[in-house]
Amino acid sequence: MGYLPRLLLLLHIALASGGAQADLVVVTSQKSGIEYLSRQEVVNLYMGRLRTNTAGNTATPLDLAVDTPERVEFYRLLVNKEAADIKAYWSRLVFSGGARPPQSAENIDELIRMISQTPGLVGYLPRKQLDNRLKVIYEFSVSP
Amino acid sequence: MPGNTSRTSAAQTGQKWLSRALCASFVLTTLQLIAPADAVAEPGTIQDRFEFSGFGTLGIARSDTNDARFVRDQTQPRGIGKSPNAKLDSLLGLQAYFRATDSLELVAQAISRYGAQDDFRPELSWAFAKYSITPNLTLRGGRMGTEFYMLADSRHVGYSYLTVRPQVDFFGALAFHHVDGADLTGTVALGDGIVKGKVFAGRANEVTPIGSEFFSLRGNPMAGGYLDYQQGNWQWRATFAQMTFKHDLPRPVADLRAALLATGIASAASAAEQIALEDTRSRFYSVGGVYDRGPLQVQAMLSRIRHESASYQDSQSGYVLAGYRLGQVTPFGGYSWTRSKAKEVSSGLPNFVPAFAQINDGLAGSLARVHTDQKTYTLGARWDFRQNMALKSQLDMIRGKPDSIFLYPTSNPGAFDGKLNIFSLALDFVF
């Protein structure tokens, strides 16, 4: 096996194993009307493509701060993209006058507080930091 | 001559726009200062409603010949040659954004880049209000980017794409960047994909350099739209746009038309009519596809341009570009091409009359000036060496016919052999 294929294989193993450890869940407020999002709906929401789900609910995505490990992990799991790819993606939209990137919470505590106070806001966090004010609307671990 | 805008009035207009942009930024800054300084960054606070951001490129490029001067697009009056030059790709853009209400947003954006006036004069590139009728239906009014082709409205944002500059064979013929008007964009889910459609109409407000003259596009009506389908890793788009010219070409074409008409001969008058631009239309058709899956991205586009006037040649262009990210480095490779077809225009004037021979030479020259027939092989790499910055290096090998000169504002026909190699380095950043 040549150098390049071996490198690609290693990269894929690294990315795949990183995903198994994270156990991130997508959440919203218990008071929110959103019960479930498909993987594609989460992608559409966080990539600024569509803000309504098939049930007709409007959702607003909330991100974590740029340098948090959860954010890096979230985009790897969701679209297999690095932070720089995501930044390049939003630069195109922002500077062409299109959609704006999601607002960010400083940390997980702030994210939980903001989501619990604003029905319709959607965020992500490690499962172990779930709080009874939140409900899980998408799980990475059970999806293909 | 209505199409012949003098440098002075163009300069005044530039300054007028600059002062308007400065006024707008002053107002926005003042509004930000009166916002409570200790406001917590939560959705809804005034501080959070303002966003200032920017993008830029420091680029340097050179070619291996002085026989044809390479430009990034038709708005650059003087191209580069064998000595390394920073004007081709270097630029700076600033954006002020204000979220007035949940459904109303205001955006102003200015860009300083090497353009039509032969300098880096800043230009107000966007200034529009965006109103969301529903979360998935938006109306914009003001000055906005022209999306004649997919990705065309972000072609100055180097950080957002792989290459040093958008493929010149494909985007280089576009001499306009923004439109004053309105557009309506709608998005609906269809199966597990998304359909997006946009229609726009407005007027151009730019000039483009031709030799030492300006060709005015000001007031030219523009209209168009696209249909886009995105599903999984795929995105497809078909685009249509058209522009109606309101001004004729400046000298030397203006002088040539006058000379043809002055002969009083019907066939010459008819040739003058064929090369007139005023009230003729140009139509732009394109289809594009993007495949984006994790570290792999591939894009391909095809376009066709049809001009009613014989002053421009109908053309077809296309490109394929692919990149694969390996850690911080993304090597990429691409192939692009553009070909145009000459239109038959004859003055019917006999060459044995010296004055007529001169007119015929002028006519042949003006028809040859707009010909293109070339392909380009691109190789390069993008290195995301730190947050919000990317360093790129790229080699473009342009292989064309010696008469493929439309994309080069100055060339030495006869000396130019159609081959150009362009070496480029660029540092792209966003803030």
Side-chain angles (χ1 to χ4, degrees):
Chain A
M1 196 155 63
Y3 174 69
L4 190 64
R6 219 177 322 173
L7 191 68
L8 295 182
L9 186 68
L10 279 173
L11 265 171
H12 278 127
I13 292 168
L15 292 172
S17 57
Q21 289 157 6
D23 205 18
L24 287 175
V25 289
V26 177
V27 296
T28 191
S29 160
Q30 288 285 5
K31 287 173 267 177
S32 161
I34 306 164
E35 296 302 330
Y36 169 78
L37 292 181
S38 68
R39 184 189 186 88
Q40 194 56 51
E41 283 168 345
V42 179
V43 173
N44 291 344
L45 194 58
Y46 274 89
M47 302 308 272
R49 292 170 191 163
L50 197 67
R51 291 187 46 200
T52 45
N53 68 358
T54 43
N57 304 103
T58 299
T60 306
L62 186 64
D63 238 329
L64 278 166
V66 170
D67 43 8
T68 54
E70 290 85 1
R71 171 157 163 165
V72 171
E73 197 56 45
F74 176 71
Y75 285 102
R76 277 185 188 153
L77 287 170
L78 191 65
V79 285
N80 192 9
K81 294 277 185 195
E82 298 302 309
D85 298 325
I86 299 294
K87 184 72 186 178
Y89 174 85
W90 282 111
S91 298
R92 180 172 67 76
L93 293 175
V94 165
F95 296 116
S96 63
R100 311 289 296 185
Q103 304 227 324
S104 298
E106 283 301 309
N107 50 49
I108 291 173
D109 287 342
E110 193 190 328
L111 178 119
I112 294 173
R113 191 174 55 76
M114 288 170 74
I115 292 177
S116 59
Q117 287 169 2
T118 318
L121 219 50
V122 167
Y124 53 86
L125 43 69
R127 188 190 295 274
K128 62 177 188 289
Q129 288 188 255
L130 265 174
D131 175 299
N132 57 12
R133 289 170 290 174
L134 307 177
K135 62 180 166 189
V136 174
I137 50 175
Y138 177 73
E139 298 177 62
F140 282 102
S141 45
V142 297
S143 63
Chain B
M1 184 69 219
N4 187 354
T5 314
S6 76
R7 278 200 187 273
T8 330
S9 81
Q12 280 165 351
T13 313
Q15 277 160 6
K16 201 169 72 186
W17 277 114
L18 176 59
S19 62
R20 278 187 208 172
L22 288 173
C23 279
S25 94
F26 175 74
V27 171
L28 288 169
T29 314
T30 316
L31 280 168
Q32 201 197 29
L33 288 176
I34 58 170
D38 58 348
V40 184
E42 264 185 30
T45 65
I46 185 86
Q47 196 178 41
D48 205 45
R49 290 163 183 263
F50 278 104
E51 282 167 37
F52 287 86
S53 50
F55 58 93
T57 301
L58 282 169
I60 190 156
R62 57 168 288 244
S63 84
D64 60 351
T65 177
N66 286 330
D67 292 329
R69 298 290 180 148
F70 182 73
V71 291
R72 183 176 165 120
D73 69 35
Q74 291 290 297
T75 59
Q76 299 188 327
R78 284 172 227 266
I80 60 158
K82 281 163 102 165
S83 30
N85 200 306
K87 70 184 177 187
L88 199 70
D89 302 306
S90 298
L91 58 87
L92 182 70
L94 293 171
Q95 186 187 86
Y97 167 85
F98 179 57
R99 189 184 295 110
T101 71
D102 278 350
S103 51
L104 182 67
E105 299 157 272
L106 304 173
V107 180
Q109 186 166 302
I111 294 190
S112 168
R113 63 179 195 97
Y114 176 64
Q117 318 290 342
D118 199 22
D119 58 20
F120 279 76
R121 187 168 302 171
E123 184 183 37
L124 187 66
S125 48
W126 306 169
F128 62 82
K130 178 177 175 182
Y131 180 70
S132 302
I133 301 163
T134 72
N136 299 321
L137 184 64
T138 58
L139 179 68
R140 300 193 300 175
R143 173 170 296 186
M144 294 152 310
T146 48
E147 262 183 302
F148 269 43
Y149 305 138
M150 191 178 186
L151 308 177
D153 60 347
S154 53
R155 61 197 196 272
H156 297 312
V157 191
Y159 185 81
S160 73
Y161 47 79
L162 282 180
T163 49
V164 169
R165 67 187 75 83
Q167 276 62 13
V168 171
D169 286 343
F170 196 83
F171 293 97
L174 294 183
F176 30 85
H177 301 89
H178 44 72
V179 53
D180 295 340
D183 65 28
L184 184 71
T185 309
T187 312
V188 287
L190 185 80
D192 56 346
I194 295 172
V195 177
K196 190 171 168 183
K198 172 169 154 175
V199 285
F200 78 89
R203 285 179 185 270
N205 192 347
E206 282 170 278
V207 296
T208 193
I210 291 186
S212 56
E213 305 284 331
F214 287 113
F215 171 38
S216 176
L217 304 173
R218 291 202 180 114
N220 288 1
M222 296 159 98
Y226 68 67
L227 198 62
D228 183 292
Y229 182 65
Q230 194 162 29
Q231 197 267 326
N233 303 111
W234 291 94
Q235 184 181 4
W236 299 98
R237 183 176 294 187
T239 304
F240 168 74
Q242 68 172 33
M243 177 186 258
T244 309
F245 291 94
K246 285 293 159 199
H247 310 282
D248 268 310
L249 285 161
R251 281 195 307 251
V253 177
D255 291 347
L256 173 67
R257 290 191 58 226
L260 285 164
L261 290 169
T263 61
I265 295 165
S267 58
S270 153
E273 186 56 36
Q274 280 175 270
I275 59 167
L277 263 182
E278 198 178 340
D279 293 325
T280 67
R281 263 187 206 141
S282 292
R283 295 184 174 89
F284 303 76
Y285 308 84
S286 74
V287 288
V290 174
Y291 180 77
D292 192 335
R293 185 174 179 179
L296 174 68
Q297 51 172 302
V298 183
Q299 50 179 275
M301 273 187 235
L302 288 170
S303 75
R304 206 173 242 267
I305 310 178
R306 291 286 174 271
H307 303 282
E308 287 176 356
S309 168
S311 264
Y312 286 106
Q313 296 186 0
D314 293 347
S315 64
Q316 293 182 47
S317 314
Y319 77 85
V320 189
L321 176 73
Y324 193 95
R325 181 194 250 276
L326 300 161
Q328 292 184 330
V329 180
T330 310
F332 58 82
Y335 174 71
S336 60
W337 72 92
T338 176
R339 260 190 310 273
S340 72
K341 208 175 152 207
K343 287 177 178 148
E344 289 295 323
V345 182
S346 167
S347 69
L349 301 172
N351 269 331
F352 60 78
V353 182
F356 287 173
Q358 207 184 340
I359 293 174
N360 286 338
D361 278 355
L363 180 62
S366 78
L367 295 173
R369 186 189 62 79
V370 291
H371 185 65
T372 177
D373 185 358
Q374 63 185 45
K375 57 201 178 202
T376 305
Y377 303 93
T378 301
L379 275 176
R382 170 186 171 129
W383 178 26
D384 285 280
F385 68 107
R386 55 170 293 181
Q387 204 169 302
N388 299 345
M389 276 193 184
L391 195 61
K392 299 168 180 174
S393 73
Q394 181 174 320
L395 167 66
D396 294 285
M397 290 167 283
I398 302 171
R399 298 293 175 267
K401 300 276 168 57
D403 60 359
S404 179
I405 55 170
F406 173 55
L407 293 173
Y408 315 113
T410 53
S411 60
N412 299 329
F416 177 51
D417 62 1
K419 279 189 203 160
L420 267 175
N421 293 310
I422 312 292
F423 310 92
S424 317
L425 266 179
L427 173 72
D428 290 305
F429 52 91
V430 287
F431 53 94

